[in-house]
Amino acid sequence: MSLDAVSPERIGDTGVLRWPGIWRVYVATRSEEIRADAERALTACERTGSSASAGEGIGTHLARAESYARSRHGLRRWLTGHAVEGAWSNVNSATVMLYGVLPTPELCGRATEVLAIGRAYLPGDDPRLVQLQARIAAGDLGEGDRPLMQSVLRAAYTAQAMESGRVRSFRNLLLGGVLMLSVIVFGLVAVGAIWPDAVPMCGNQSVVQAQGLMPAQICPTGGHRPGHGDVPLVALVGVLGAALSSAASLSTRADLSTRYSLAVAQTLLKAPAGVATAVLGLLILNSGFVPGMSGLGSQPAILVWAMVFGYGQQVVTRFVDQRADTLLTAASPLTPSGRGTRTA
């Protein structure tokens, strides 16, 4: 049975890839590569029952992968990764089956590729990986090593799916945290805007009167009494500080190849975190809780401190960034690690 008989529609057809998502392009390209290799291998080898069955299985997996890539998927499937994981799972299964029909010389020539994939996701002391390394080092690869290569590939792809699942779960957790923190911060700003005295942002200022130095208030909007715009202005300046922090972190953020990206969720988290740290920081300073800081004596000082506290949200969110970097490194095929210390 030909592969085209199983999958009559090709990914390259006009209008097939009409939904957004760069992963769809990768799946399409990889599917075409596997199909071409499989057709060439099946043409070269004798048409046995096992090769025909393998060809049918490869075609079925590629058809399913292409179906995921062609279809539109809603929010629920985006959150669960149903489309992405379904497509790549079938592409990977087709790849493993492809190694079952490749001619022996080509199979041996691809051994180092299999080794590289295995090193990217498997512990360095994995017995299958150790055995394949030894066979490559000995230089006597043959037909008998075909099951070993397929086993290494299958195990590596399974580990890759698990690591990608951890990244996806962390992304969803981040987005949930962004939503929850945004609701809390919005409520705090709304309360401050409606009842200014409930969230006082004003500092103490000494003014000269006939009786001498008298304490007075100075507020973020420039008034001497809490106003409806104090908390919203502090929140806006806090977001500005968080934006500067995000811009600074771009230069140190790792750009790793993974199925899911955490950059957007990480950046979104910094905005409500910047508002929260700006408002809470000014409350702490104006409360006199910090020794030597009994209040802020001018409007510029209040706004500068609000921006500093907004920038300072990085102290909190850096733990999130560190966790994200760890997960992305584990899920990326570009970071082989010798992985004897890799966590399961």
Side-chain angles (χ1 to χ4, degrees):
M1 180 180 291
S2 68
L3 300 182
D4 286 339
V6 178
S7 179
E9 284 188 307
R10 293 304 188 94
I11 278 288
D13 292 344
T14 303
V16 173
L17 288 178
R18 58 185 179 274
W19 307 116
I22 193 64
W23 66 269
R24 301 176 191 270
V25 179
Y26 293 149
V27 168
T29 303
R30 183 60 186 148
S31 296
E32 284 299 315
E33 289 177 353
I34 296 172
R35 178 179 283 108
D37 288 341
E39 289 177 345
R40 175 173 46 78
L42 291 172
T43 301
C45 71
E46 295 182 1
R47 289 287 183 167
T48 63
S50 59
S51 65
S53 176
E56 181 177 352
I58 293 172
T60 300
H61 282 301
L62 294 181
R64 290 173 181 172
E66 294 167 354
S67 176
Y68 280 115
R70 290 194 301 266
S71 303
R72 183 180 183 180
H73 302 279
L75 178 61
R76 182 175 61 86
R77 287 196 171 189
W78 179 78
L79 289 174
T80 60
H82 180 84
V84 176
E85 296 301 329
W88 280 114
S89 175
N90 280 282
V91 167
N92 292 339
S93 295
T95 302
V96 173
M97 297 186 71
L98 172 65
Y99 274 78
V101 298
L102 287 175
T104 303
E106 185 175 355
L107 175 76
C108 297
R110 295 194 181 193
T112 54
E113 178 183 346
V114 176
L115 181 62
I117 296 174
R119 283 176 172 172
Y121 296 106
L122 298 177
D125 58 353
D126 186 282
R128 295 159 295 193
L129 197 59
V130 172
Q131 184 179 357
L132 180 59
Q133 289 174 324
R135 296 291 295 164
I136 294 176
D140 59 350
L141 291 168
E143 178 65 26
D145 297 302
R146 189 183 300 272
L148 175 61
M149 293 187 195
Q150 289 180 293
S151 178
V152 170
L153 277 179
R154 191 177 294 110
Y157 288 145
T158 300
Q160 180 189 36
M162 293 176 62
E163 298 293 356
S164 295
R166 291 188 178 98
V167 175
R168 183 183 66 252
S169 298
F170 189 70
R171 180 204 63 186
N172 295 344
L173 182 64
L174 270 182
L175 292 176
V178 170
L179 180 61
M180 181 179 66
L181 185 57
S182 297
V183 170
I184 295 173
V185 165
F186 179 80
L188 179 64
V189 173
V191 169
I194 298 173
W195 299 288
D197 292 323
V199 189
M201 295 283 98
C202 302
N204 294 324
Q205 181 185 49
S206 297
V207 297
V208 179
Q209 295 183 354
Q211 298 86 353
L213 291 176
M214 298 294 292
Q217 285 187 325
I218 183 67
C219 300
T221 53
H224 296 287
R225 294 183 57 186
H228 297 286
D230 289 342
V231 177
L233 179 58
V234 169
L236 182 61
V237 175
V239 171
L240 175 60
L244 293 175
S245 172
S246 299
S249 66
L250 291 178
S251 61
T252 58
R253 181 170 294 169
D255 187 15
L256 298 174
S257 174
T258 57
R259 296 180 187 176
Y260 306 98
S261 173
L262 299 178
V264 174
Q266 289 176 257
T267 303
L268 289 177
L269 179 64
K270 295 181 185 299
V275 175
T277 53
V279 173
L280 294 178
L282 288 183
L283 284 175
I284 293 173
L285 288 184
N286 289 326
S287 68
F289 178 78
V290 179
M293 297 292 294
S294 59
L296 300 173
S298 67
Q299 181 194 21
I302 293 175
L303 297 181
V304 167
W305 274 106
M307 186 173 65
V308 169
F309 281 120
Y311 191 97
Q313 52 74 35
Q314 186 66 25
V315 175
V316 178
T317 58
R318 70 183 179 90
F319 296 106
V320 175
D321 295 339
Q322 289 173 356
R323 178 58 177 166
D325 289 343
T326 299
L327 291 174
L328 290 173
T329 300
S332 173
L334 305 179
T335 53
S337 62
R339 305 205 179 208
T341 59
R342 186 187 182 104
T343 57

